[in-house]
Amino acid sequence: MSDSAPPSALIDPFGRRIDYLRVSVTDRCDLRCTYCLPKGFKGFEEPAHWLRHDEMLRLVGLFVRLGVAKVRLTGGEPLLRRGVVDLAAGIAALPGLADLSLSTNGTRLAAQAAALKAAGVRRLNVSLDTLDRGCFARITGADRLEAVLAGLEAARAVGLAPIKLNMVVQGEVNEHDVERMLDFALTRDFLLRLIEVMPMGDTGRSARQVDVSRLGARLAGGRGLVPTLPGRDAGPARYWADADGRWRLGVITPLSQHFCATCNRVRLTVDGTLHLCLGQEDRVPLGAMLRDGADDDELLAAIRAGIAAKPERHDFASRPTKVVRFMAQTGG
């Protein structure tokens, strides 16, 4: 993809080109990770408010018309949504789209990996915080580690690549397992990313933070990995590479070293609400506008107006209680 922005490109007030859209196809999940959803949470969006697939496809198509080249399907757990493979195929066929990926917890991946690849999904992010079965059950509330591992093997077998393992590191919970997680990733050609807990909702704020930058540097040094120069494709992560230049380990540090200056993304929730920043409350009700009969020109104008009001950065450090919604409500 060229670095030069097309005339229709979305440029925010701080000169950042917004070319990446994350689309939450459901806020439901079959796991209950302690840092994501509180135990017994029932405040999910009503199914009647979910965008139908044709409505999602229409909105995504408008973003692509405005220069968005990368789309990621997320949740909750996107593979819970019926017809998500057909939705993926429709999005992958949009003229101008360069990349379609999917984030998943992996519990249903084994049965759907081949269909996702055939639909046009090329890359995966799989949430996996530990290889310890007991620890996995404590974090997620379910004994599903074997299903996730089977999903990873199925995805690798059908050629989905790269496959990134997203490990949210929590002190005194799973920090002990990072060495084993890295060895697991290296032997299977996965990319491990260590992530700080997002302080969203009470669950995120209560988790014990770990300095993943220092942790990543130690792990990389012990395995002969070298730091790489940040590039546009790196997104919010910083990486270490092997001798062949392949990224093998990364860290994502929204708190200790925020990456707001290079933010290129916005998020669309299952009801069509456009969130302009993960750590702010600015939003555009595109789904409500669509269902009220807005035409494409009106929706395009609303998208442009939203991007023109995109905040400069989050306030997770200075105002940790500002965002009360949980991560699953916004989309990963």
Side-chain angles (χ1 to χ4, degrees), residues 103-184:
S103 291
T104 175
N105 64 27
T107 59
R108 296 166 182 255
L109 184 56
Q112 300 193 56
L116 289 167
K117 176 70 182 299
V121 174
R122 292 292 173 261
R123 302 184 296 113
L124 290 179
N125 284 7
V126 179
S127 298
L128 181 61
D129 295 329
T130 180
L131 291 170
D132 181 285
R133 182 176 174 181
C135 185
F136 183 95
R138 287 190 295 274
I139 292 173
T140 67
D143 185 8
R144 303 292 303 280
L145 176 60
E146 293 305 319
V148 177
L149 297 179
L152 284 168
E153 290 306 315
R156 186 170 66 144
V158 300
L160 285 162
I163 297 173
K164 299 176 182 177
L165 303 182
N166 287 346
M167 180 183 186
V168 177
V169 184
Q170 301 179 74
E172 299 181 358
V173 176
N174 64 338
E175 187 178 4
H176 67 282
D177 212 21
V178 291
E179 298 268 2
R180 183 163 58 150
M181 282 285 293
L182 180 55
D183 290 337
F184 173 81

Side-chain angles (χ1 to χ4, degrees), residues 29-30 32 49 54 67 137 156 170 184 206 209 235 248 251 264 282 286 288 290 306 310-311 313 332:
C29 190
D30 54 349
R32 288 292 183 276
H49 297 159
D54 62 307
R156 186 170 66 144
Q170 301 179 74
F184 173 81
S206 64
Q209 294 286 347
R248 307 309 300 267
V251 295
N264 67 335
D282 305 74
L286 296 176
L290 183 153
K310 182 173 168 65
R313 55 166 295 174

